[in-house]
Amino acid sequence: MTEQPATVASLKHFPLPLFAAVLGIAGLGLAWREAGRVLGAPALVGELLLLIAAIVFGLIAIAYLLKWQRYPAAVAAEFRHPVRSSFIFAITVSLTLLSNALLPHRPDPAGGLWLFATIAHLLLAGWLVRRLLLQPMPLATLTPAIFIPLVGNILAPLAGVKLGYPALSWFSFSVGLGLWITIQPLLLHRLFYGEALPPKLMPALAILLAPPSVGAMAFASLQGGRFETPAWIMAGIAGFIALVLLSLLPRFARLPFAPSWWAYTFPSAAFALMLIQISAARPAEAHAVTGWIALSAASVIVALVALRTIKAAIGGHLFKPEE
């Protein structure tokens, strides 16, 4: 095989987990959009963030397609990796979030994008479950990143109900919820009693916050925007996990930067969006205050991780072999 030019050599190490950046930016954009509707926040902030998320998705997708073309062996190795392969599914989750972004402006294209992303994610999740049934992985390889492929469909109702697909929204939600309930005990067993996560994977603990936060909003969407008992249960679980993660903040702050830091972003944005939606469903000053606090925290997290990513890219430290 002909050696690639030095100018594109670093592309071989383009990190697949960088697709999580789209999740974090888009999730924050949706949270700011909802804050504009519920809390009186500037509406333009959310729309700008969602536009940035779409641009970032396009840039990352182009870069990864070039990597696939020039370094197919490196891409194949990532697809086989027990942890990094989960971030392949961040592509379809990103498209689901972008369909939410597009919905108020162009409902028809948003519907087509949502259908494609939802069905593709269901098919890929089914393929992964089949593979795990036939080729089980060691429990030590189980990390919170597994929620991206197997629980990602829990997002579907956020736009699906508004687009007029209640049946498919219920189906996707049920698949994601069922797999979350099944995998969560196994994951906690591995985290509590197995080997400690290596430092570069510690940020993935934040992903534990995403399923209950999104699940609460998804169930509320399926109930016409009403937060009923199941949604409140999931919101309570999310609140407890948020408190645990907050207690780990000093530990997170000591970790060296890695693309895995983007794992902090979407869960924090989803939690903020959930609190803002609760404020809309149950108007109260306390709810509004907690919504603003969570939104501010999520904004700081996304900004910090984005700045560190840009700094690493400029310094030539972002695209390097995995240690």
Side-chain angles (χ1 to χ4, degrees), residues 42-253:
L44 184 61
V45 176
E47 302 308 317
L48 284 175
L49 285 167
L50 292 168
L51 177 60
I52 292 170
I55 294 171
V56 169
F57 177 81
L59 293 174
I60 294 175
I62 291 170
Y64 205 76
L65 285 172
L66 288 172
K67 176 179 176 176
W68 195 347
Q69 178 188 17
R70 293 168 174 166
Y71 303 102
V75 172
E78 285 189 311
F79 281 23
R80 293 191 299 267
H81 194 280
V83 178
R84 292 170 73 88
S85 60
S86 293
F87 289 92
I88 300 167
F89 296 78
I91 298 172
T92 48
V93 177
S94 295
L95 293 175
T96 303
L97 290 171
L98 293 177
S99 71
N100 280 268
L102 194 57
L103 180 57
H105 307 290
R106 300 291 297 275
D108 290 341
L113 184 61
W114 181 89
L115 272 175
F116 172 79
T118 300
I119 294 172
H121 198 99
L122 279 168
L123 292 173
L124 288 170
W127 167 80
L128 179 58
V129 170
R130 179 183 183 276
R131 191 185 77 174
L132 291 173
L133 289 172
L134 297 176
Q135 302 173 7
M137 294 192 305
L139 189 61
T141 63
L142 185 63
T143 73
I146 197 66
F147 284 153
I148 300 173
L150 295 185
V151 189
N153 278 299
I154 208 169
L155 270 168
L158 298 188
V161 174
K162 297 174 183 176
L163 289 166
Y165 297 105
L168 184 55
S169 295
W170 267 112
F171 179 70
S172 298
F173 174 78
S174 300
V175 170
L177 180 64
L179 289 172
W180 174 51
I181 292 172
T182 303
I183 296 168
Q184 181 89 338
L186 296 175
L187 180 59
L188 292 179
H189 174 78
R190 179 260 182 271
L191 294 173
F192 290 171
Y193 303 109
E195 296 181 5
L197 291 175
K200 66 181 178 181
L201 290 181
M202 282 290 291
L205 291 175
I207 299 175
L208 293 170
L209 181 60
S213 299
V214 176
M217 294 185 289
F219 189 82
S221 295
L222 291 164
Q223 299 299 311
R226 300 186 303 276
F227 271 77
E228 298 183 350
T229 301
W232 284 113
I233 291 173
M234 285 184 275
I237 294 171
F240 175 75
I241 294 173
L243 290 174
V244 173
L245 292 173
L246 189 61
S247 74
L248 293 173
L249 190 59
R251 178 72 177 271
F252 290 144

